[in-house]
Amino acid sequence: MRSYRSLFRTPEFTPYLLSFAAFAAAQTLGGLALATLVFRATGSPFLSAVSMFGPQLAQLLGGAFLLSGADRLPARASLSGLALVFAAGTAVLALPGLPVWGVFAVVLLQGMVASLGGGVRGGLLNDILSKEGYVLGRSVSNMLWGLTQMAGFATGGALLTLLSPRTCLLLAAALYLMSAIVTRLGLTARPPRSSGRPSVSATWRTNALLWSSRPRRLTYLGLWVPNGLIVGGDSLYVSYAPQAAGTLYAFGALGMFVGDMAVGRLVPPAVRTRLATPLRLLLAAPYLFFVLRPGVALSAVAVTVASVGFAASLVLQERLMSLTPDDLAGQALGLHATGMAALQGVGAVLAGTAAQLTSPATAMTLMATGSVTVTLTLVALGRREERQPAAPGTRPGVASEPATKD
């Protein structure tokens, strides 16, 4: 599947995208509104960054206990329920007088529940499309995420000059509700991908199986760590340029859109497999110049160019799917989504702490330096892995693994 026409002719792909767009718009508007609310209340770059990206750190807890549900629960019911939970939680965040500790309690609960969503949504896309169409479908999904972020951050920035952050949070709650409705009415009820009930033991057992393959471990780390450090730096836009944070987020989404379109649609598969490292380096390199404290215009250019590098995730997800049995696809993608979200949350904590001790510009430069270092280290480890012969008659990470049942 190499054309957008064939992609959009696939049944259910359009409602899948519409549901995802509403959810992404709610996250974008709600995250910016919440970070602004916390920053105005506390004046703390650390608390502002953690309020925006803290739910992603909390996904680590959910990923440790809930991920087996990605393949063992009906996808439509799971995604509808997730959107309703987020709608209710976001409405609670808009309550006047809610203390800061209450804000972070809701953020923690939302993050834990969200850990299930990445695996369910990724596994559902894998079901809707053929294996050959996954990368193109994922690139369109990422492009839509980029467009939604551009529109959401630009609109959110404008709305925050006219409305209070709490009103914007209520708008985000309405968008979550819309996502639940589209999911319920637009998608077909499917049986779970795997048999057995979701359980903590099944989650841990399958996570251990997925992590046991060295090629998959390196792929997961490549997906999580360089990305997480850069997103941690991105969480400082509100404190770096309080009046232009929405602009910087919008330009970042533009760069992400361009990268996903180029890698998913224009780059031949044979070339695409070689782009993971260059794209990860591109993701970090422009942020090294933030040590010079550029103005908004130059910052927007740097953010746009860097965000093209987020397309590395398409290349690495394709590699992950080639290393994973079909009946574990949902949990494999869920583990990726949870680990990436958690590392982004860790990145936000690290960046916020560094900004509190130094400055937002210095912290962003430090995060970029760490991202480059991790990427080069993973490249060296991968080359060492390539020099080691594989066991006769096996494909690393797949052939020797039995299906798991609870």
Side-chain angles (χ1 to χ4, degrees):
M1 188 181 292
R2 292 292 299 164
S3 72
Y4 292 129
R5 180 177 299 177
S6 60
L7 188 66
F8 281 96
R9 283 178 177 171
T10 304
E12 296 187 81
F13 184 68
T14 298
Y16 171 92
L17 280 185
L18 292 175
S19 166
F20 174 71
F23 197 94
Q27 279 191 314
T28 301
L29 177 59
L32 183 59
L34 184 61
T36 302
L37 179 68
V38 171
F39 187 67
R40 289 179 183 177
T42 65
S44 169
F46 172 78
L47 292 177
S48 175
V50 173
S51 68
M52 191 168 189
F53 291 92
Q56 295 164 261
L57 179 59
Q59 287 193 36
L60 187 61
L61 293 175
F65 301 109
L66 304 176
L67 270 187
S68 63
D71 293 306
R72 298 166 185 244
L73 291 174
R76 186 179 69 174
S78 299
L79 292 177
S80 298
L82 180 68
L84 290 174
V85 168
F86 264 77
T90 304
V92 170
L93 291 172
L95 292 174
L98 184 68
V100 173
W101 67 264
V103 168
F104 285 103
V106 174
V107 162
L108 174 65
L109 292 174
Q110 284 184 322
M112 290 184 65
V113 174
S115 63
L116 188 60
V120 174
R121 198 176 294 278
L124 178 60
L125 181 62
N126 203 44
D127 291 341
I128 291 173
L129 303 175
S130 64
K131 202 127 189 174
E132 293 74 22
Y134 178 82
V135 170
L136 183 60
R138 187 71 185 191
S139 74
V140 170
S141 180
N142 289 352
M143 287 159 57
L144 180 62
W145 170 252
L147 286 173
T148 303
Q149 283 196 314
M150 279 191 287
F153 283 127
T155 303
L159 287 174
L160 285 168
T161 65
L162 302 172
L163 305 173
S164 70
R166 288 190 171 86
T167 302
C168 292
L169 285 169
L170 290 176
L171 292 175
L175 287 169
Y176 283 126
L177 181 60
M178 184 185 302
S179 176
I181 293 171
V182 173
T183 299
R184 179 63 182 82
L185 298 180
L187 297 179
T188 301
R190 283 179 169 81
R193 196 174 299 104
S194 292
S195 60
R197 293 184 302 174
S199 67
V200 174
S201 62
T203 297
W204 278 83
R205 186 167 59 249
T206 305
N207 283 348
L209 181 63
L210 291 168
W211 191 250
S212 65
S213 163
R214 181 179 170 86
R216 267 202 305 264
R217 282 200 304 274
L218 293 176
T219 303
Y220 274 128
L221 291 173
L223 281 162
W224 296 343
V225 185
N227 177 300
L229 293 172
I230 294 304
V231 172
D234 292 354
S235 71
L236 299 174
Y237 289 169
V238 172
S239 53
Y240 180 79
Q243 303 305 316
T247 299
L248 294 180
Y249 282 120
F251 274 96
L254 172 62
M256 188 187 305
F257 174 86
V258 171
D260 285 326
M261 180 177 64
V263 172
R265 179 67 180 90
L266 303 178
V267 178
V271 176
R272 186 168 62 220
T273 58
R274 300 195 294 268
L275 292 181
T277 297
L279 287 169
R280 280 181 289 174
L281 293 175
L282 177 63
L283 178 63
Y287 285 98
L288 297 174
F289 296 100
F290 272 72
V291 71
L292 303 176
R293 301 174 187 265
V296 172
L298 289 177
S299 296
V301 172
V303 165
T304 304
V305 173
S307 296
V308 172
F310 280 116
S313 67
L314 287 176
V315 183
L316 292 170
Q317 284 180 57
E318 184 177 30
R319 182 184 302 171
L320 178 64
M321 288 294 93
S322 73
L323 296 169
T324 303
D326 289 342
D327 62 339
L328 300 182
Q331 187 157 343
L333 291 168
L335 183 60
H336 152 56
T338 298
M340 184 177 67
L343 263 295
Q344 288 176 355
V346 170
V349 171
L350 292 174
T353 302
Q356 199 80 30
L357 297 174
T358 57
S359 69
T362 301
M364 292 163 78
T365 305
L366 291 173
M367 302 302 282
T369 302
S371 181
V372 170
T373 302
V374 170
T375 293
L376 295 177
T377 301
L378 290 173
V379 169
L381 292 173
R383 287 175 179 168
R384 182 185 303 174
E385 174 70 23
E386 290 172 0
R387 289 194 293 267
Q388 296 177 356
T394 64
R395 181 160 65 96
V398 177
S400 62
E401 295 175 352
T404 60
K405 293 184 179 180
D406 191 24

